[in-house]
Amino acid sequence: MDIKCAGIIIKPGGEKLKDTYKRIKKAFEKEDIAIKIDRSSAQIIGEKDGLSFDELCQACDILVSLGGDGTLISVARRSYEYHKPVLGINVGTLGFLTDIKPEDVESFVKKIKKNDFRIDTRMMIEIAILGKKERILSFNDVVITRPAVSKMIYIDVFIEDSLMNSYYGDGLIISTPTGSTAYNLSAGGPVVYPFSNDFIFTPICPHSLTQRPLVLPAEFEFKITTKSKSALIVIDGQDMYEFTPKDIVIVKKAPIGAKLIHRKERNYFNVLREKLGWGI
Amino acid sequence: MDIKCAGIIIKPGGEKLKDTYKRIKKAFEKEDIAIKIDRSSAQIIGEKDGLSFDELCQACDILVSLGGDGTLISVARRSYEYHKPVLGINVGTLGFLTDIKPEDVESFVKKIKKNDFRIDTRMMIEIAILGKKERILSFNDVVITRPAVSKMIYIDVFIEDSLMNSYYGDGLIISTPTGSTAYNLSAGGPVVYPFSNDFIFTPICPHSLTQRPLVLPAEFEFKITTKSKSALIVIDGQDMYEFTPKDIVIVKKAPIGAKLIHRKERNYFNVLREKLGWGI
Amino acid sequence: MDIKCAGIIIKPGGEKLKDTYKRIKKAFEKEDIAIKIDRSSAQIIGEKDGLSFDELCQACDILVSLGGDGTLISVARRSYEYHKPVLGINVGTLGFLTDIKPEDVESFVKKIKKNDFRIDTRMMIEIAILGKKERILSFNDVVITRPAVSKMIYIDVFIEDSLMNSYYGDGLIISTPTGSTAYNLSAGGPVVYPFSNDFIFTPICPHSLTQRPLVLPAEFEFKITTKSKSALIVIDGQDMYEFTPKDIVIVKKAPIGAKLIHRKERNYFNVLREKLGWGI
Amino acid sequence: MDIKCAGIIIKPGGEKLKDTYKRIKKAFEKEDIAIKIDRSSAQIIGEKDGLSFDELCQACDILVSLGGDGTLISVARRSYEYHKPVLGINVGTLGFLTDIKPEDVESFVKKIKKNDFRIDTRMMIEIAILGKKERILSFNDVVITRPAVSKMIYIDVFIEDSLMNSYYGDGLIISTPTGSTAYNLSAGGPVVYPFSNDFIFTPICPHSLTQRPLVLPAEFEFKITTKSKSALIVIDGQDMYEFTPKDIVIVKKAPIGAKLIHRKERNYFNVLREKLGWGI
């Protein structure tokens, strides 16, 4: 892979990251990789000459997300059509997805130049609400939940027109393996190896005591309906859609996964143990 | 206890309960107990001559809730200041609180006349939002939660100005023993014997993996604050209050508990096993 | 598939199943499928002329297990080297694996004759204790646990010589997808679709509050050691092996899965919902 | 309380604690409190002139446990008949019960001399197996479990001859509030405030998905039987008793609680948050 241009996106509220941006820019340019910046990111740190997000995706070979896991997820979702690998540079605490720190940038860019890195592909979910044009993509999870806090909702899930399960309670999380360590974990779901091809269906505070998290193959296509007057579909905690008894929601694996750039020696279980505080 | 008058309240949407109401009225009058009806209940079933809820509480020795557990809880909360025992007559599936069915009314009213019944006192919670006049009472639970589905909230709980615990996630349930089999159970909390004097603090989908449900003595008084821009306090799933970083919420045991009329032979564990489907 | 001979195995303690055996035998013979019986099974019901289990596996095209899920699992494990499909006939309550009842035998054998059935392949686990010759096969789960009830045990799990996780507590369940609805479910593990290629690692009463069930790809090979003076490895709740700090245990997917004969129209989720009591 | 003599007990395996013992002895003697030592403890550290445990309890006003929570629990149980307050000096990581470190001994003994300390009373459980003379006392928990790892056990619990609940699975934990942060927590039970008067019944890996932890008043007396050929009763992880279908086990609150000496300013929730890693 010949990388000539990297496009930078900075997290909203990242006004203090101007120096970090300059450090990254210098590191890439030293290795003859041009740096371009997204227009809103440029404004955040008071730079000129940004490109629109789509121009950036077209012009660059890789994207660089400067922020936390949330910024990386947003970049991966918005750049989905361009299939560009994304490198996450982490400015806070260790993330599940972003493990390159600003102080590691110089040495890691050298490795990138030498093709000494890894591209991990992460399963994404594609959601369609029948009758609406938009195709929705999810990196972590699709959460079906209630708009008001005081009512439980009913959700029916079908596979090939046959009832799979009915849920009644606060809602349902449909998670990718990557999302299994996010909201799914708080709701009692299992950790699933991030390069598996699985959906995780985890009920949120189910009324029935016998409901359990369910791990299902990525090959399944699900049809979801609700009997509740109004429900909400929340994608990666970032976008929200109304869901009414008239709607049919189709959930399936996205045809292409997100591509994340990592160190070759990165070990998932080391990150997991550190993030979850495992150890005796 | 000499019962001369019983005041009936019918669940909202109980239009079809007119015959049941008449049956109950007849059964009580046969035993020389006058029946009066709440004004809105009278309208629901097309009767005349209802009293306002407060007049009803003043005029009658006991209250009769015709509906499910939700109706009984609402009656217990609204009649709190009058300390009147409440009899729940259950028109649907077996409830945790209401176990007299319409077909049992005649025989049970005879027992009431002979003082052959039991009054169970159930701990209630008193909530005050400092600076606001209203005293709020809860029968089942006080739920502190987030208004929008995509944000987690921060909650700090203090006992005598000393931090008890900090919660971060979807919210926190503070439950009475009676409420332990309601929302608390869906969120993973324990079942607590209903005549215990305990609070149950159960986090809802906590971000931290080490948080656990906590059972605390009813003697404690809690001071609760939030760092989140806006949160909600939901009482028994019925009433809702805003909760902002400026507010201090005081949670303590209500000075007097709710009084429920039951058969003398009623056994809590039999109800529990049947409701939860226990058995091997 | 041309089926000329079916070999029957009867559950230990199945003395009362003689009539059922005769009914099954008659049903198969009517469709020109010879029935042979396992020697110990013959003794149980007082029949003569049984074959040894190995002779039975060699002589027959399919095996018929008469009993519950436990009998079927035992037959699948013992017949592993012969790759013979197994039909489970269920004489008790509905099983997860055995759903043909004695009264359905006549109609289902007709379908078998017409090749109107399905063979499901279920992932199995192969376990080797280094330095010992035996190859151990598991259908449901490999449970690493403590011999005495009062001590917790330490377990280390490695993938390619790199630490995956350390467990400290009552033990560890390594389950197949099929086994996910067995002991794994009692210990808090997720339900995994039975035709997935996954291991489920579920800690039993872990001392650490942050441990969670883990779903891992079947392609992984695990090396397991213990720091505890003596531990036990229990296979499918049926066989037991000692496990000491000197031992290295290798756990991987068995090269071939178990083959189960089912009705074509059998729907896993219908069985799951019925067995777990799902429904609102 | 006038303290003239303190009796020291050292944890088994505490050979290296001789210097710590001497430091403690000096600190007490400086405040005119005589130190006597338990005979087996004396042997552990190579001292002469130890008293038998019973002589020690009779001769001294308080007992000092040098070790961890396990040592303290053992001292509290063995000294039960003498009602002597116990001070735990912790030689390892922070315990739930023992929070005085060897380096704090001098300053804390001064406080003891000035009566500037607190005595906390902890509920204990009394167990009797009908027909056997021994009265058994438990500080943390009574665990009813299976002897062999591959079988589940049946347990029936009665209150006043009326069935409370039936358990089927790996076993049942009956915990004191103090024990709620021990095995009970690993098995999914709630944390209960240590000065509450409650039992916690938590099933271990129950076969039924609807079983939940149960918090019950200390006033109840339980009668427990098993249908399983052989089960075990384990007290505080330290003592073990056989339990057969012929046995009736009575479990109730012990008439007197254990007395623990603590700093006046000790705050339970601070210890809890630190031990469980609570914090955001």
Side-chain angles (χ1 to χ4, degrees):
Chain A
M1 188 181 181
D2 190 14
I3 299 171
K4 290 182 181 150
C5 173
I8 283 203
I9 298 93
I10 297 175
K11 73 163 181 180
E15 286 75 11
K16 293 184 180 162
L17 296 173
K18 185 161 190 167
D19 287 351
T20 309
Y21 164 72
K22 285 191 171 169
R23 180 176 182 172
I24 294 168
K25 187 171 154 71
K26 204 170 150 190
F28 273 92
E29 287 173 352
K30 202 174 161 193
E31 301 297 327
D32 288 323
I33 300 174
I35 279 287
K36 292 187 191 299
I37 186 166
D38 161 66
R39 192 166 295 145
S40 4
S41 302
Q43 282 163 2
I44 288 168
I45 57 166
E47 287 279 312
K48 281 176 285 186
D49 300 325
L51 300 181
S52 77
F53 187 79
D54 286 293
E55 289 164 351
L56 194 79
C57 292
Q58 279 162 350
C60 295
D61 304 304
I62 66 170
L63 297 173
V64 176
S65 153
L66 182 56
D69 282 2
T71 312
L72 179 69
I73 289 171
S74 167
V75 170
R77 292 178 62 216
R78 292 170 64 207
S79 68
Y80 182 78
E81 306 294 343
Y82 300 99
H83 308 154
K84 295 295 162 77
V86 185
L87 167 65
I89 296 175
N90 183 2
V91 291
T93 53
L94 173 73
F96 272 110
L97 303 169
T98 52
D99 50 359
I100 303 291
K101 291 179 226 154
E103 57 265 38
D104 302 332
V105 164
E106 288 81 6
S107 62
F108 190 58
V109 173
K110 275 182 197 160
K111 289 189 175 180
I112 288 180
K113 193 67 192 177
K114 286 185 226 156
N115 261 307
D116 180 15
F117 63 96
R118 208 172 75 192
I119 292 183
D120 287 348
T121 302
R122 303 267 179 153
M123 171 183 158
M124 289 179 74
I125 298 177
E126 185 181 314
I127 305 104
I129 303 176
L130 288 192
K132 294 180 186 169
K133 273 195 182 156
E134 195 179 358
R135 184 170 69 158
I136 309 163
L137 288 157
S138 158
F139 189 91
N140 263 350
D141 46 39
V142 177
V143 178
I144 302 174
T145 185
R146 53 191 188 166
V149 288
S150 56
K151 295 284 170 205
M152 290 194 277
I153 59 167
Y154 290 90
I155 301 164
D156 287 319
V157 181
F158 300 85
I159 298 173
E160 290 179 5
D161 291 320
S162 172
L163 181 69
M164 188 273 274
N165 197 8
S166 295
Y167 294 94
Y168 180 53
D170 278 8
L172 172 66
I173 301 165
I174 305 172
S175 169
T176 61
T178 298
S180 71
T181 47
Y183 192 26
N184 168 70
L185 203 56
S186 294
V191 177
V192 177
Y193 190 66
F195 313 123
S196 294
N197 267 310
D198 286 309
F199 290 101
I200 305 105
F201 279 67
T202 297
I204 309 171
C205 298
H207 184 255
S208 157
L209 299 182
T210 61
Q211 289 293 344
R212 287 292 178 279
L214 202 42
V215 179
L216 298 172
E219 288 66 40
F220 278 144
E221 183 174 319
F222 304 94
K223 204 172 82 180
I224 303 178
T225 59
T226 180
K227 291 193 194 90
S228 298
K229 271 179 207 163
S230 73
L232 288 174
I233 299 175
V234 184
I235 308 295
D236 291 338
Q238 301 180 337
D239 294 322
M240 207 175 290
Y241 299 85
E242 262 195 284
F243 182 23
T244 74
K246 286 181 198 161
D247 292 317
I248 293 174
V249 174
I250 304 296
V251 168
K252 60 184 176 189
K253 184 186 168 182
I256 292 175
K259 290 179 180 57
L260 302 192
I261 295 174
H262 284 298
R263 284 193 188 89
K264 258 192 180 150
E265 64 275 21
R266 179 185 148 95
N267 177 307
Y268 169 70
F269 294 105
N270 292 350
V271 176
L272 189 65
R273 289 202 312 275
E274 186 173 343
K275 286 287 295 177
L276 300 191
W278 286 357
I280 288 170
Chain B
M1 189 180 182
D2 190 15
I3 299 171
K4 291 183 182 151
C5 173
I8 285 205
I9 298 95
I10 297 176
K11 73 163 181 181
E15 286 77 9
K16 294 185 179 162
L17 295 173
K18 185 162 190 167
D19 287 352
T20 309
Y21 164 72
K22 288 191 168 167
R23 179 175 184 172
I24 294 168
K25 188 171 155 69
K26 207 172 147 188
F28 273 93
E29 288 173 352
K30 205 175 159 193
E31 301 297 329
D32 288 322
I33 300 173
I35 279 286
K36 293 187 189 298
I37 186 166
D38 161 65
R39 193 167 293 144
S40 3
S41 302
Q43 282 164 2
I44 288 168
I45 57 166
E47 287 280 313
K48 282 176 285 185
D49 301 326
L51 301 180
S52 79
F53 186 79
D54 286 293
E55 289 164 351
L56 194 79
C57 291
Q58 280 161 349
C60 294
D61 306 302
I62 66 168
L63 298 174
V64 177
S65 152
L66 183 55
D69 282 2
T71 310
L72 179 69
I73 289 171
S74 167
V75 170
R77 292 178 61 217
R78 291 170 63 208
S79 68
Y80 182 79
E81 306 293 344
Y82 301 98
H83 308 156
K84 296 294 161 82
V86 185
L87 167 64
I89 297 176
N90 183 3
V91 293
T93 52
L94 173 71
F96 271 109
L97 303 169
T98 53
D99 52 357
I100 303 291
K101 290 180 227 152
E103 57 265 37
D104 301 333
V105 164
E106 287 81 6
S107 61
F108 190 58
V109 173
K110 275 182 198 160
K111 291 187 174 180
I112 287 180
K113 193 66 191 176
K114 287 185 227 159
N115 261 310
D116 180 16
F117 64 96
R118 208 172 73 194
I119 292 183
D120 287 349
T121 303
R122 304 268 181 154
M123 168 184 159
M124 290 180 74
I125 298 176
E126 185 182 314
I127 306 105
I129 303 177
L130 288 193
K132 293 180 188 170
K133 275 196 183 158
E134 195 178 359
R135 185 170 69 158
I136 308 163
L137 288 157
S138 159
F139 189 92
N140 264 349
D141 46 39
V142 178
V143 178
I144 302 174
T145 184
R146 53 191 189 168
V149 289
S150 55
K151 295 285 172 208
M152 290 193 277
I153 59 167
Y154 289 89
I155 301 163
D156 287 320
V157 181
F158 300 84
I159 298 173
E160 289 178 6
D161 291 321
S162 171
L163 181 69
M164 188 272 276
N165 197 9
S166 296
Y167 294 94
Y168 179 52
D170 279 8
L172 172 66
I173 302 165
I174 304 171
S175 169
T176 61
T178 298
S180 72
T181 47
Y183 191 25
N184 168 69
L185 204 56
S186 294
V191 176
V192 176
Y193 189 66
F195 313 122
S196 295
N197 266 312
D198 286 309
F199 291 101
I200 306 105
F201 280 67
T202 298
I204 310 171
C205 297
H207 184 256
S208 157
L209 298 183
T210 62
Q211 289 292 344
R212 287 292 178 276
L214 203 41
V215 179
L216 298 172
E219 288 66 40
F220 279 144
E221 183 175 319
F222 304 94
K223 204 173 81 180
I224 303 178
T225 59
T226 180
K227 293 193 193 90
S228 298
K229 272 178 208 164
S230 74
L232 288 174
I233 299 175
V234 184
I235 308 296
D236 291 338
Q238 300 180 338
D239 294 322
M240 206 175 291
Y241 300 85
E242 262 194 285
F243 183 23
T244 73
K246 287 180 198 163
D247 292 318
I248 294 175
V249 174
I250 304 296
V251 168
K252 60 183 176 190
K253 184 184 168 184
I256 293 177
K259 291 181 179 55
L260 302 192
I261 296 174
H262 284 297
R263 282 192 189 89
K264 258 192 180 149
E265 65 274 23
R266 179 186 149 94
N267 177 306
Y268 168 70
F269 295 106
N270 292 349
V271 175
L272 189 66
R273 289 202 312 274
E274 186 173 344
K275 287 287 295 178
L276 300 191
W278 287 356
I280 288 170
Chain C
M1 188 181 182
D2 190 15
I3 300 169
K4 290 182 182 152
C5 172
I8 284 203
I9 299 94
I10 296 175
K11 72 162 182 180
E15 287 75 10
K16 293 184 180 164
L17 295 173
K18 183 161 190 167
D19 287 349
T20 309
Y21 164 72
K22 286 190 169 167
R23 180 175 182 172
I24 294 168
K25 186 171 154 70
K26 205 172 148 189
F28 273 92
E29 288 173 350
K30 203 174 161 195
E31 301 296 328
D32 288 323
I33 301 173
I35 280 287
K36 293 186 189 300
I37 187 167
D38 160 67
R39 192 166 295 144
S40 4
S41 302
Q43 282 163 2
I44 288 168
I45 57 166
E47 287 280 312
K48 283 174 287 185
D49 300 326
L51 301 180
S52 78
F53 187 78
D54 286 293
E55 288 164 351
L56 194 78
C57 291
Q58 280 162 349
C60 295
D61 305 302
I62 66 169
L63 298 173
V64 177
S65 153
L66 184 55
D69 282 1
T71 313
L72 180 69
I73 289 171
S74 167
V75 170
R77 292 178 61 216
R78 292 170 63 208
S79 68
Y80 182 78
E81 306 293 344
Y82 301 98
H83 309 154
K84 295 294 162 78
V86 185
L87 168 64
I89 296 175
N90 183 2
V91 292
T93 52
L94 173 72
F96 273 109
L97 303 169
T98 53
D99 51 357
I100 303 290
K101 290 179 228 153
E103 56 266 37
D104 302 331
V105 163
E106 288 81 5
S107 62
F108 190 59
V109 173
K110 275 182 196 157
K111 289 188 175 179
I112 288 179
K113 193 67 190 179
K114 288 186 224 158
N115 260 307
D116 180 15
F117 64 96
R118 207 172 76 193
I119 293 183
D120 288 347
T121 303
R122 304 267 181 154
M123 170 183 159
M124 289 180 74
I125 297 176
E126 185 180 315
I127 305 103
I129 303 176
L130 289 191
K132 294 179 187 170
K133 274 195 183 159
E134 195 178 0
R135 183 170 70 157
I136 308 164
L137 287 157
S138 159
F139 188 91
N140 263 350
D141 46 39
V142 177
V143 178
I144 302 173
T145 185
R146 53 191 189 166
V149 288
S150 58
K151 294 284 172 208
M152 290 194 277
I153 59 165
Y154 289 90
I155 302 164
D156 288 319
V157 180
F158 300 85
I159 298 173
E160 290 179 5
D161 291 320
S162 171
L163 180 69
M164 188 272 276
N165 197 8
S166 294
Y167 294 95
Y168 179 53
D170 279 8
L172 172 67
I173 302 165
I174 304 172
S175 169
T176 62
T178 297
S180 71
T181 47
Y183 192 23
N184 169 69
L185 203 56
S186 294
V191 176
V192 176
Y193 190 67
F195 313 122
S196 294
N197 266 311
D198 286 308
F199 291 100
I200 305 105
F201 279 68
T202 297
I204 309 171
C205 298
H207 184 256
S208 157
L209 298 183
T210 61
Q211 289 292 343
R212 288 292 177 277
L214 203 42
V215 179
L216 298 172
E219 288 65 40
F220 279 143
E221 183 173 319
F222 304 94
K223 204 172 81 179
I224 302 178
T225 60
T226 181
K227 292 193 193 90
S228 298
K229 269 178 208 164
S230 75
L232 288 174
I233 299 174
V234 184
I235 307 295
D236 291 338
Q238 301 181 337
D239 294 322
M240 206 176 289
Y241 300 85
E242 262 195 284
F243 182 24
T244 73
K246 287 181 198 162
D247 292 317
I248 293 174
V249 174
I250 304 296
V251 168
K252 60 184 176 188
K253 185 185 168 182
I256 292 175
K259 290 180 181 57
L260 303 192
I261 294 173
H262 285 297
R263 284 192 188 89
K264 257 191 181 151
E265 64 275 21
R266 179 186 148 92
N267 176 306
Y268 169 70
F269 295 105
N270 293 349
V271 175
L272 188 65
R273 289 202 311 275
E274 186 173 343
K275 286 287 293 178
L276 300 192
W278 287 356
I280 289 170
Chain D
M1 188 180 182
D2 190 18
I3 300 170
K4 290 183 182 150
C5 172
I8 284 204
I9 299 95
I10 297 176
K11 72 163 182 182
E15 286 77 9
K16 294 184 180 163
L17 295 174
K18 184 161 192 168
D19 288 350
T20 309
Y21 164 73
K22 288 192 168 167
R23 179 175 183 172
I24 294 168
K25 188 172 156 68
K26 204 171 149 189
F28 274 92
E29 288 173 352
K30 202 174 161 194
E31 302 296 328
D32 287 324
I33 301 173
I35 281 286
K36 294 189 188 297
I37 187 166
D38 161 66
R39 192 167 295 143
S40 3
S41 301
Q43 283 163 1
I44 288 168
I45 57 165
E47 288 280 313
K48 281 175 285 187
D49 301 326
L51 301 180
S52 78
F53 186 80
D54 286 293
E55 290 165 350
L56 194 77
C57 291
Q58 281 162 349
C60 295
D61 306 302
I62 65 169
L63 298 173
V64 177
S65 153
L66 184 55
D69 282 1
T71 311
L72 179 68
I73 290 172
S74 167
V75 170
R77 294 178 60 216
R78 292 169 64 207
S79 68
Y80 182 79
E81 306 294 344
Y82 301 98
H83 308 156
K84 295 294 163 80
V86 185
L87 167 64
I89 296 175
N90 183 4
V91 292
T93 53
L94 173 73
F96 272 109
L97 303 169
T98 53
D99 51 358
I100 303 291
K101 291 180 226 152
E103 57 265 38
D104 302 333
V105 165
E106 287 81 5
S107 61
F108 191 59
V109 173
K110 276 182 197 158
K111 290 187 173 180
I112 287 179
K113 193 66 191 177
K114 288 184 226 158
N115 260 309
D116 179 15
F117 63 96
R118 209 171 73 194
I119 293 183
D120 289 347
T121 304
R122 305 265 181 156
M123 169 185 160
M124 289 181 74
I125 298 176
E126 185 180 314
I127 305 104
I129 304 176
L130 289 192
K132 295 179 186 170
K133 274 195 184 158
E134 194 178 0
R135 184 170 70 156
I136 309 163
L137 287 157
S138 159
F139 189 92
N140 264 348
D141 47 39
V142 178
V143 178
I144 303 174
T145 185
R146 53 191 189 166
V149 288
S150 57
K151 294 285 171 207
M152 289 192 278
I153 60 167
Y154 289 90
I155 301 164
D156 287 319
V157 181
F158 301 84
I159 298 174
E160 290 178 7
D161 290 320
S162 171
L163 181 68
M164 189 272 277
N165 197 9
S166 295
Y167 293 95
Y168 180 52
D170 279 8
L172 172 66
I173 302 164
I174 304 172
S175 170
T176 61
T178 298
S180 71
T181 47
Y183 191 25
N184 168 69
L185 203 57
S186 294
V191 176
V192 177
Y193 190 66
F195 312 123
S196 295
N197 266 312
D198 286 309
F199 290 101
I200 305 107
F201 279 68
T202 297
I204 310 171
C205 297
H207 184 256
S208 157
L209 299 183
T210 62
Q211 289 293 344
R212 287 292 178 277
L214 203 42
V215 179
L216 298 171
E219 288 65 39
F220 279 144
E221 183 174 320
F222 304 94
K223 204 173 81 179
I224 302 178
T225 59
T226 181
K227 294 193 192 90
S228 298
K229 271 179 208 164
S230 74
L232 288 175
I233 299 175
V234 184
I235 308 295
D236 291 338
Q238 300 180 339
D239 293 321
M240 207 174 291
Y241 300 85
E242 261 195 286
F243 183 22
T244 73
K246 287 180 198 163
D247 293 318
I248 293 174
V249 175
I250 304 296
V251 168
K252 61 184 176 189
K253 184 184 168 183
I256 292 176
K259 290 180 179 56
L260 303 193
I261 295 174
H262 285 297
R263 282 193 188 89
K264 257 192 182 150
E265 64 275 22
R266 179 186 149 94
N267 178 306
Y268 169 69
F269 295 105
N270 293 348
V271 175
L272 188 66
R273 289 202 312 274
E274 185 173 344
K275 286 287 294 178
L276 301 191
W278 286 357
I280 290 170

